[in-house]
Amino acid sequence: MGVNITSIKTSSNGVWQGDNPLDFAFPLLIVQTTLILVVSRFLAFLLKPLRQPKVIAEIVGGIILGPSALGRQQDYMHRLFPKWSTPILESVASIGLLFFLFLVGLELDLSSIRRSGKRAIFIAAAGISLPFTLGIGVAFLLRKTIEGADKVGVAQYIVFMGVALSITAFPVLARILAELKLLTTQVGETAMAAAAFNDVVAWILLALAVALAGNGTPGGPQKSPLISVWVLLSGVAFVAFMMLVIRPAMKWVARRCSPESDIVDEAYICLTLAGVMVSGFMTDFIGIHSIFGGFVFGLTIPKGEFAEKLIERIEDFISGLLLPLYFASSGLKTDVSKIRGAKAWGLLALVISTACAGKILGTFAVAMMCKISARESLTLGVLMNTKGLVELIVLNIGKEKKVLNDEVFAILVLMALFTTFITTPTVMAIYKPARGISSHRRLESIPDSAKDELRVLACVHGPGNIPSLINLIETTRSTNKSQLKLYIMHLVELTERSSSIMMVQRFRKNGFPFLNRFGQGGMHDRVAVGFQAYGQLGQVSVRTTTAISALSTMHEDICHVAEKKRVPMILLPFHKQWRKINGEDEVENVGHGWRAVNQRVLKDAPCSVAVLVDRGLGGSQQTPGPTATVAQRVCMIFFGGPDDREALQLSGRMAEHPAVKVTVIRFLKKEEAAAANTVVLLKPSSTKSKENNYTFTTAKVNPEREKELDDQAMTGFQQRWEGMVDYKEKVGNNIVESVVGIGRSGEYELIMIGKGRCPSTMVAEVADRQAEHPELGPIGDALASSGKGILSSVVVIQQHDVAHVEETAVSKILISQEV
């Protein structure tokens, strides 16, 4: 090293005193970190349409910043990434790596390997053994071909190459499966179980490789082979101590920090984080890399509330800030220019093809022997070929231990990048699971013989949606407690946080996306328990579901379950929720992303959709039973059209409930306007966006036929519920003000309204008003808007009709008079 590391100062005195901050350790570290984060995030944004994992962007960012690209400018390299700064950057990055491996151990469920059965274990064993064997052959070839490679001991070189070719990156694989909607298919479940087993074996092999690598450095004196044996024995003793002594102690700590305690004692958090550091020091002291200590310590902590709180405290800082430094430093050490000539590039092609062939062929052959179809077997092979995170850790340790020289390191880094990059597009090309046949159901089309049964898919963002949804659902049940099949889908965003993968592991056991009868921890527990209690008390068939997905594809999960379970209606919570705090209305907004989920469900749903705008419908009761407090006063506002007729059907179910009083208010046109036979025409607009304006069906509508259907529906409704429903007619002047007045009056706890995609003349007249929530239609938007003093909760219903799927915004209204 050209600079005496002891002469480097931490911070400068500032430019005004003649110091250059880039000559000091801490300011330079800040600049390096910022540069790495900006470049890697920008690349992640560019690669997002290709569904590439974040680690790809971080490694490529490091390669661009390193000697392969920008680093070819020596002035840049000496100024921003001088050699004396490398130990400092890598030390900070290694802290991130230590805690990341702690998180991996914390999330890895060893019991899932036992549950997975022999098939997954056989597949994993084949996916390890064949590429490991091929790796031995590649190792001998590289030792003979690449200059300097033969200076390393044969044993450690073979083990490192075998591990590098045989490893599967479990965290990256889990994310790829989740984004491709494959987690709960047979392929996904088998791949996850096999990858977990692969991970455990890989860490054992890597521990062996590190122990062997410590047996002398290239060109230095060779140490006794017994030292490697002592290192391995000490490692086994360390693992035994952690499992037999530390694990019971951490169970005691987890009990002290149980869910009954709202606040986790900071002393336990600090003690645990210190335990990670001490465990890392102990394995480094033994002669095994410090990351093993963090990984094993993570395994000792029981899965549950305490583990989740630990993850919440440290995950964003580690995964968002420190870990990118580690993978970027891998790119900074990768010099692609070291791969020179046809022979070197031929070796790269050989390593890539050997790695892919070993994993894919080994997995494919054993999967076929386990009677898995050829297409699914091939998909499994491609999935198990995912490298990424763990691969880079292996390669960095190999370079740190001087087992891998610059050229071999560059070849293996490019191999890891290529194999991970091709996984997603290859799987998308060869495997598309069947999605079933769209059912296109709605309440109005249910035959009379099946009227007593109602199947509903209700979506929730969290425990706050439970009371209102349960009370709305209970309101739809009649005196004889008609049979109700309730599917609850807890919507959880799949983010870059590794804890979302932890949830994925929990809920991947049964169904699509994640159907299970009982919750298994955390927020899903609270959601599941609330609805399960309602199901048991109210004699309702309840299945709780967790959908963990990116918001951009969440609607696919919702629509798929609606098809699979043949439900006629999906209930969605509005993205805003009103709460009374100190007598004042407070609006809780879960975000624009969730609003977009609702919009996509309304567009693509195979059945009718109801959006609940909650203004305290559930009250304070969390788990209503058969005597639940329901919305006692319900108003159904009817203008006409298929959406309003669907809302009328749901109102009829509510009318049967003894505690519910339903009032139907039908708005009619002024007599003089009706006599003039005024027709309102909506003109499609090419300049207005669907996101900011109301949209209406593009289908050709016969107004006379629609009015006839409206009259038939209302006549049948009145005859069936005569004496049980109040019916009022109202002549429309300013219908928006009239409707808002009903909501502001406080007479009704719940107002039902159709979205109005096929609008009556009165609704069409207000189609060009300023839209705040265009997905609710003009009338629903008026009732959901803030600042108007509306007290009632609102349900906006859209009837499913293939003819009305396509919608468009309108530019203006033309009123013509027919003679």
Side-chain angles (χ1 to χ4, degrees), residues 2 153 155 193 240 276 281 361 486 608 632 649 781 791:
V276 179
F281 174 79
L361 293 179
L486 185 57
S608 295
Q632 296 180 354
Q649 284 286 331
D781 182 23
L791 303 174

Side-chain angles (χ1 to χ4, degrees), residues 580 615 632-635 738-751 783 788-793:
K580 282 283 186 185
R615 287 192 172 91
Q632 296 180 354
R633 295 164 298 169
V634 177
C635 177
S738 299
V739 169
V740 168
I742 294 171
R744 196 184 289 143
S745 69
E747 288 183 47
Y748 307 102
E749 285 132 346
L750 181 66
I751 295 176
L783 289 168
K788 293 185 177 179
I790 296 173
L791 303 174
S792 306
S793 296

